[in-house]
Amino acid sequence: MIKANPNFSKIQASYLFSDIAQRVKKYMEANPDAKLIRLGIGDVTKALPKPCVDAMAAATAEMGVDATFRGYGPDHGYAFLREAIAEHDFKARGADIDASEIFVSDGAKCDTGNFQELFSNDIKIAVPDPVYPVYVDTNVMAGRTGASVDGRYEGLVYLNSTKENNFVPALPEEKVDLIYLCFPNNPTGAVATREQLQAWVDYAHANNALILFDAAYVAFIRDESIPHSIYELPGAKEVAVEFRSYSKTAGFTGTRCGYSVVPKECRVFDENGNKIMLQPMWARRMSTKFNGVAYPVQRAAEAVYTPEGKAATKALIDGYLENAKIIREALIEKGYKPTGGDNSPYIWFNTGKDSWEFFDYLLNNAQIVTTPGAGFGKCGNGYIRISAFNSKENVLEAVERLKKVL
Ligand SMILES: *Cc1c(COP(=O)(O)O)cnc(C)c1O
């Protein structure tokens, strides 16, 4: 008898985006002429930067000629891209990361989801609340949790991110082995200071723990005092893995490219407490289960680091940040106290009501689609996430409507 993985039955179906879609559909059936403005799902809306498109087209042309055709690429990414990443994303910011520590992939969702394969099943895991669901669900599938009780899985340690701690969770009181962190954060838009991140790095050293640091939104940081990489902090290379993506940085959500950084010093332990280096494990995992990112896509990613590419991606992000500022200021004007929206495309605010009730209110009265914070965890109850991923024109129209109904 072929038996199913029993852990799948523990996973709570995420009704968040399908529930949103259903409510929107129902509203549109009743109001077919309504002009909806979607500030809900976190997908980018603007075209790829031209230097990336040009690089992709040139690389595609190379693939059509025997002399320049390429078959399987190097397992961990082409040297041209890994070297550009090490130079521009790390060395330029004083983080000593080498090209050999970069593993190019098809995105940060896959990498953050796959990385847990390298750990034993009896580790203690801490996740933020609210949380990007991938960190939790992949560990549930792997059997590292008990059942879901009142919206939280037994066996996980939830790190509350609330207005009391400015949405940067405090160190856990109990000892944990693996910690997921995401800054700038999805959904709260919060960023962590050097001191706050250093405390996590120190915790990981003191407790023989490991940090999985998701920096998918790093391109939105405009406050230069905020660390862009966890490796800007002393001691981080031994205790942290970092995930990056071109999805939000350069509009690659449909193009697919990202990378993980696994420093050669990064360690885990065997059951006797002996050190095992993590980098060869991830290298082996990727060589076994992944065959690389398409050559034209890696060339498109490389183009992000040219002077033209840097200017174009900065302009792209600046546009979204301008939208975020417009939304943030409208909420402040209306007496709300939003976080995010300055170093992040997300604005997060307490509505003083139930998240879904407020979602329905905005849909029915302003024809604006948002995301109920309750869908990201218990601590999101009462909150709404508004995304800046839309045209400026639509955002201006949306805030006019918001100002009327709030
Ligand atoms: C969008 C996003 C990513 C990026 O995912 P890709 O698979 O690279 O598109 C990673 N982490 C978080 C928290 C995100 O919101």
Side-chain angles (χ1 to χ4, degrees), residues 175-204:
K175 188 171 150 42
V176 300
D177 307 307
L178 182 67
I179 302 133
Y180 287 86
L181 295 177
C182 173
F183 293 108
N185 189 265
N186 176 15
T188 69
V191 288
T193 63
R194 275 189 80 81
E195 292 69 28
Q196 286 165 328
L197 277 188
Q198 187 69 58
W200 281 103
V201 169
D202 295 345
Y203 175 93

Side-chain angles (χ1 to χ4, degrees), residues 107-110 132 135 182 186 214 216-217 245 247-248 256 346:
K109 183 187 203 171
C110 315
Y132 180 58
Y135 315 151
C182 173
N186 176 15
D214 185 347
Y217 294 94
S245 170
S247 285
K248 317 300 173 4
R256 309 306 308 146
Y346 299 124

Side-chain angles (χ1 to χ4, degrees), residues 30 117 128 206 228 254 269 319 347 362:
E117 287 181 22
H228 289 49
F269 299 91
I347 298 99
L362 291 181

Side-chain angles (χ1 to χ4, degrees), residues 21 64 102 186-187 192 250 276 286:
I102 307 290
N186 176 15
I276 298 179
M286 291 299 269

Side-chain angles (χ1 to χ4, degrees), residues 210-213 230-231 236-242 261-263 266:
L210 186 80
I211 298 167
L212 297 183
F213 187 74
I230 197 159
Y231 305 117
K237 288 181 81 176
E238 290 83 6
V239 299
V241 170
E242 183 164 310
V261 188
V262 189
C266 197

